[in-house]
């Protein structure tokens, strides 16, 4: 008998979901498809790391004072070029660009959406063949269509995101996204060049046995976090402790593992970085949206839901606690003791 193979592709699922938004004209769907195309271009390049001269540092330093890797620059250009062509977006805020990029061609001036993107997160891991990712977040513009988008279009609370997602370039390449109807994952089938449905409604386990934090910064952590780490390391059969410590240093990879298996990811404030390290717009908001849509939680560790924080700056950083609901609540409990 001939075996038939007909996976559900990203485009099919996007079109199915579109009917849930009666006012939608298919623009958001088109945008997501173009993001997927850019992701495939970046994926191809990431897979060549080590074969061609794309690893290592470019000669630039980004706004955050970090050395840009060559692949950061490549990924940034790939996303901007693919997405600009749609005319659906009025502009982009990228972790790699100091200022927002405004598209001012006739089509884009009427674009309804803006995009925030970290084109290649965890890129310092590329040289050593560790998984990296791209993270994106889409908002409906609030400025008047027909004019150039403004900074205020990007400085909206995470609750206003209309879609968000990430691509993980790992042992396989996956795209995980949400439009507020659950968190859905796809795996790239290289033989047909399509993202194929893996899990329609991902569910974050309510509990887990993994904590992910850069313990090298221990002495600089708030006391609540230090105590939580000790709690994770204590032996208690009833709560499956001690927990395992797993930290790759690549947010998408750490979050993805915890989302699948249960766990908590913490990048807290430290003495030297009172706002933590991760960026609200490009990293925390999209990941928080995905986490919540899968039944998890995301806070700043001090009782504030990430998605409700009003951004004041596109490159703003925020302490970040995300993952399995009960584990995030436990971190909050420890932090509260020292408030
Ligand atoms: P990047 O956007 O410059 O790659 O930095 C973000 C990365 C995250 O992927 C990761 O969670 C974190 O930085 C690791 O930071 P640290 O090395 O301080 O633990
Ligand atoms: Mg990043």
């Amino acid at each position: 008998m001939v075996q038939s193979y007909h996976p559900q592709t990203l485009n099919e699922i996007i079109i199915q979901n579109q009917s849930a938004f009666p006012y939608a004209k298919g623009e958001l769907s088109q945008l997501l498809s173009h993001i997927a195309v850019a992701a495939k271009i970046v994926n191809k390049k990431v897979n060549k790391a080590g074969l061609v001269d794309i690893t290592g540092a470019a000669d630039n330093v980004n706004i955050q004072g970090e050395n840009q890797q060559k692949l950061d620059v490549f990924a940034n250009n790939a996303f901007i070029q693919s997405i600009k062509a749609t005319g659906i977006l009025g502009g982009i805020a990228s972790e790699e660009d100091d200022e927002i990029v405004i598209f001012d061609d006739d089509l884009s001036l009427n674009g309804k959406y803006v995009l925030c993107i970290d084109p290649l997160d965890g890129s310092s891991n590329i040289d050593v063949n560790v998984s990296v990712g791209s993270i994106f977040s889409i908002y409906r513009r609030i400025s008047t269509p027909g004019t150039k988008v403004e900074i205020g279009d990007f400085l909206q609370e995470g609750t206003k995101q209309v879609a968000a997602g990430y691509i993980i370039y790992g042992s396989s390449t996956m795209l995980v996204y949400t439009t507020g109807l659950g968190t859905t994952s796809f795996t790239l089938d290289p033989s047909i060049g399509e993202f194929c449905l893996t899990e329609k409604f991902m569910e974050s386990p309510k509990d887990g046995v993994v904590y992910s934090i850069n313990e090298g910064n221990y002495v600089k952590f708030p006391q609540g976090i230090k105590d939580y780490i000790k709690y994770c390391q204590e032996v208690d059969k009833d709560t499956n402790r001690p927990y395992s410590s797993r930290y790759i240093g690549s947010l998408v990879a750490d979050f993805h593992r915890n989302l699948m298996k249960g766990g908590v990811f913490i990048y807290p404030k430290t003495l030297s970085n009172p706002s933590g390290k991760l960026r609200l717009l490009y990293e925390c908001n999209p990941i928080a949206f995905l986490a919540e849509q899968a039944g998890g939680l995301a806070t700043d560790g001090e009782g504030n839901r990430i998605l409700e924080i009003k951004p004041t700056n596109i490159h703003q950083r925020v302490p970040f606690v995300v993952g399995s609901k009960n584990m995030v609540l436990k971190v909050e409990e420890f932090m509260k003791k020292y408030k």
Side-chain angles (χ1 to χ4, degrees), residues 95 118 121-123 214 247 249-251 265 267 277 279 283:
E95 191 187 296
D118 183 351
D121 182 68
S123 52
N214 184 344
Y247 188 77
S250 191
L251 172 65
F265 175 93
Y267 209 110
K277 175 183 182 188
R279 292 78 168 178
E283 290 158 335

Side-chain angles (χ1 to χ4, degrees), residues 30-61:
Q30 274 183 53
L31 194 50
L32 287 165
S33 303
H34 277 79
I35 289 174
V37 171
K40 287 183 220 170
I41 295 170
V42 174
N43 177 60
K44 206 166 159 226
K45 204 72 164 179
V46 167
N47 284 338
K48 287 219 171 93
L51 291 174
V52 292
D53 183 29
I54 44 163
T55 55
D59 291 331
N60 325 335
V61 172

